[in-house]
Amino acid sequence: MLDAIDKELLRSVADLEGIPKGAYNIRKNGKLLGREVSANIEIDAHPDQEGIMVRIAPGTINESVHIPVILSQAGLHDVVYNTFIIGEGADVTIVAGCGIHCGGSKSEGHEGIHEFRVEKNARVRYVEKHVAIGPGKGKRILNPTTRVFMAENAWAEMELTQLGGVDEAFRVNEATLSAGSSLMISERVMTEGDQTASSENRLFLEGDGSRANMVSRSVLKGTSRQDLKVNLVAKARCFGHIECDAILMDRAINKTMPALEALHSDAELTHEASIGKIADDQLMKLMSLGLDYDDAVNRIIQAFLK
Amino acid sequence: MLELKDLTFTAPEDDGAPARTIIDHVSYTFEKGLFYAVTGPNGSGKTTLAKLVMGILPAESGKILLDGTDITEFSISERSRAGIAYGFQNSARFKGTTFRDLLSIAAGTDDEEELVRIIARVGICSLDFLDKPVDAKLSGGEIKKIELATVIARNPRVAIYDEPDTGIDLWTIEPMVDLLKREQESFGTTTIVVSHNKTFLEAADRLLLIKGGKIAYEGKLPEADSLLADLSACNYTTICEGEDNAGCYR
Ligand SMILES: Nc1ncnc2c1ncn2[C@@H]1O[C@H](COP(=O)(O)OP(=O)(O)OP(=O)(O)O)[C@@H](O)[C@H]1O
Ligand SMILES: [Mg+2]
C-alpha cells in the first residue's frame, strides 16, 4: 500500500517508518490512503468541505494523532480543510505535515487549512513539517494556514517547520486566546535557490492572564527571500513576546516585521528581532574546536533550526 | 614547544585612527609541559597575542612554530587539529547550539558516556549543563566553565586560557587551578593562562608580564616572588606604567 516514495515522504514529514501507531489519517494525492481511530479519537470526513474532522474526547491523555499528507502526482493542487476539536482537559500530540515528491515539470501544491478548537484546560502539542523532494523541475507549493481558538486555561505548543525543497510558501497563523490560555509558536523556515516563503501571523490576546510567544528562526540561502509579519494584539491584561532571527547567506534577502499593539493598558508586549550573517565569533569558536569553515556554518545552522 | 619569532600585529587604521602596533616584535619560546601565567594591564595585548597563536588574527610579520612545524600560515581549524586550543576571553553566544553540541565537536564524538567522562574530568561543570543552549541567558561564570571544558575536551598539546577566572565564584577558583595543573601533569599539556588572579599566578612555573605589546618581564616563580609580594600596590609600575591598581595584579 505504501511505495518507496511514500515511505520516504512519511519518514521526513512525520518521522514515521510506515503506518503509525494510534489514530491516524493518511492522505495521498487528494485521496484517503488509510485511517485508524481510537476509543477517544474520532476522525470523520468534514461535513462541509474536503478534509477531516478530528474529535478528541474530553480527558484523553497521552494519545497522539498522525495526519500526514503526501503528494506525488504532477499538476495536482490539493486543498484540504481539517478541523480539530480537543476536548476539555485532554492532553494530546498531533503530528501533521506534508511531503511533496515532484518528478516532472508540472507544479504540485498543497494547501492545508487547519483549525484547532482547544477546549478548557486542554493541552495540545502540534507538530507540522513541510518538505519537498524529487528530481522534477515543477514548482512545489505549500500554503499552510493554522487557526487556533483557545478556551480558558488551554495550552498549545505549535512547532512549524519547512526545511528546504519548497519553492513557494505562503504561511498564515492566527490565534485567539481566552483568559489564562497559553500559546507558543515556533516556526523554522529554510529557503534556498530562488525559493520564496512568507509567513503572516496574527495573535489576539483577548483574555486576562493569557500568554503568547512566537519564536521564528529563518535561514536563507542562495537568492531566496522570506517575509515575516507578526502582529500581537493585546486586548486584556496579558503577556506577549515575539522573537525572530534570520540568518542570511549568499545573496538572500529578508523582511521581518514584528508589530505590537496594546489595546489594554495592562498588556506587556515585547519583541526582539535580528537579521544578519552568522556571527564571526560563533564561527571562530567552532573552527577553534577543529571544524572547517563549511562544517562550522552547517553546525551553527542545524542547531539554530532545531 | 611553541615558538614565537619576532611576532608583530598592527591594527589597521580605522576611521581616521592611525594604524597601531598591538604586538611589537615578540619572540618567546613556551617549553613543552610547563604552566605559564600571562598578566599585564588592560589593553596591553594579551588577548591579541593569544589570538595570533590560534590564528584568529593574522600575524603581520614573524613566525609561529609548534614542535618545529611552521604553523604561521595555518588556518584556525588546522592549528586546532595541530593541537592548539584557545578558551576565549569573551565567549561566543549562540542560538540553539547547546553545550552538548560544543563538547561533541570538541571531543569529536557524540557518545554520551564519553561526554559524561569529560564533564567528570573537568569537574567544575554540572551534568545538567549538557543540554543548556550556549546563549545570552547563560551567566558569566557558567559560560566560562563551558569555554574551559571545550578546551580540555580537545586534549590539546598547547592550551591557552584567556582569563578563565572572570566571573568564577571564589569556591571554584582553586578547583579550576587544580584542574589545569592536573591536566598539565597528566598529559604534559603546555598551559598558558592569561589572568590577573593571584591563585593562577602562583600556580605557574613561569610568569610573563605583557606591556605595550612586548614581554616586559619573564621569570620563574621564586624569582618573580617580588611581583607577587605586595598585594595592595603594584611593585612593577616602573616596568608596567599601567594605571595604579588597574587590576592587573592585586
Ligand atoms: N583587531 C583589532 N583592531 C583594532 N584594535 C585592536 C584589535 N585587536 C585589539 N585591538 C586593540 O589592541 C589593544 C590590546 O587589546 P587586547 O585585547 O589584546 O588587550 P588585553 O591585554 O587582552 O586586555 P584585557 O586585560 O582588557 O583583556 C587594545 O587597545 C585593543 O583596543
Ligand atoms: Mg584580553
Side-chain angles (χ1 to χ4, degrees), chain B residues 9 44 85 101 108 144 148 170 231:
Chain B
F9 176 77
S44 56
D101 294 330
K144 276 292 178 187
L148 184 129
L170 289 172
L231 299 186

Side-chain angles (χ1 to χ4, degrees), chain B residues 9 11-12 20 22 40-48 57 89 163 196:
Chain B
F9 176 77
R20 197 158 65 91
I22 311 288
N42 297 132
S44 56
K46 305 179 296 295
T47 295
T48 306
L57 291 172
Q89 181 175 4
E163 306 206 13
H196 309 292

Side-chain angles (χ1 to χ4, degrees), chain B:
Chain B
M1 191 167 80
L2 176 71
E3 291 171 84
L4 313 182
K5 290 189 171 166
D6 209 23
L7 205 58
T8 298
F9 176 77
T10 304
E13 60 179 299
D14 179 28
D15 247 341
R20 197 158 65 91
T21 303
I22 311 288
I23 293 298
D24 194 2
H25 300 278
V26 166
S27 295
Y28 191 76
T29 300
F30 294 90
E31 302 293 341
K32 180 172 166 34
L34 290 191
F35 192 123
Y36 293 84
V38 178
T39 193
N42 297 132
S44 56
K46 305 179 296 295
T47 295
T48 306
L49 190 62
K51 287 186 171 175
L52 287 170
V53 173
M54 191 70 236
I56 294 166
L57 291 172
E60 178 189 322
S61 63
K63 282 199 181 317
I64 304 170
L65 285 87
L66 179 65
D67 295 332
T69 308
D70 186 344
I71 60 165
T72 321
E73 299 303 320
F74 279 27
S75 68
I76 304 175
S77 330
E78 287 166 331
R79 289 183 207 212
S80 170
R81 285 180 226 134
I84 300 178
Y86 172 57
F88 287 73
Q89 181 175 4
N90 296 311
S91 308
R93 307 279 185 157
F94 297 81
K95 285 206 161 136
T97 297
T98 59
F99 179 36
R100 180 191 295 275
D101 294 330
L102 294 184
L103 209 57
S104 36
I105 293 170
T109 172
D110 43 24
D111 180 65
E112 181 81 20
E113 274 177 37
E114 185 58 34
L115 299 185
V116 170
R117 243 196 312 277
I118 294 170
I119 291 183
R121 169 172 150 207
V122 172
I124 57 169
C125 287
S126 128
L127 253 185
D128 330 332
F129 272 29
L130 210 45
D131 288 304
K132 273 202 182 188
V134 182
D135 61 13
K137 290 194 195 96
L138 283 181
S139 79
E142 286 170 337
I143 194 140
K144 276 292 178 187
K145 292 177 181 177
I146 286 175
E147 189 71 42
L148 184 129
T150 59
V151 171
I152 287 176
R154 294 292 299 156
N155 293 319
R157 286 202 265 176
V158 178
I160 309 170
Y161 301 93
D162 200 341
E163 306 206 13
D165 49 304
T166 316
I168 295 294
D169 59 67
L170 289 172
W171 299 272
T172 312
I173 295 282
E174 286 280 357
M176 192 184 262
V177 173
D178 292 346
L179 164 66
L180 299 194
K181 290 297 281 183
R182 209 161 54 232
E183 290 288 313
Q184 175 206 1
E185 279 151 22
S186 333
F187 305 102
T189 316
T190 307
T191 305
I192 304 170
V193 182
V194 178
S195 179
H196 309 292
N197 189 300
K198 182 172 185 279
T199 322
F200 275 103
L201 303 194
E202 284 177 347
D205 301 311
R206 298 277 192 286
L207 213 64
L208 299 187
L209 176 69
I210 309 268
K211 181 222 140 186
K214 289 181 189 295
I215 297 175
Y217 175 87
E218 192 262 309
K220 288 192 186 148
L221 199 62
E223 291 100 89
D225 241 4
S226 55
L227 188 89
L228 305 177
D230 187 352
L231 299 186
S232 57
C234 175
N235 288 326
Y236 275 74
T237 45
T238 47
I239 306 176
C240 163
E241 291 165 6
E243 295 167 58
D244 281 345
N245 285 335
C248 57
Y249 181 65
R250 273 182 283 180

Side-chain angles (χ1 to χ4, degrees), chain A residues 127-193:
Chain A
V127 183
E128 180 191 271
K129 268 193 211 168
H130 282 173
V131 295
I133 55 173
K137 290 271 175 286
K139 267 202 186 331
R140 309 110 205 259
I141 303 164
L142 280 167
N143 298 335
T145 297
T146 306
R147 290 201 190 97
V148 189
F149 298 93
M150 302 193 55
E152 277 170 36
N153 300 317
W155 181 96
E157 192 176 273
M158 323 212 103
E159 286 170 30
L160 315 170
T161 55
Q162 175 194 311
L163 301 181
V166 180
D167 293 304
E168 272 178 37
F170 183 68
R171 315 167 62 84
V172 176
N173 299 308
E174 282 177 352
T176 310
L177 287 84
S178 308
S181 66
S182 157
L183 172 67
M184 159 85 187
I185 299 180
S186 69
E187 192 172 61
R188 306 277 183 267
V189 179
M190 201 272 278
T191 49
E192 55 202 336

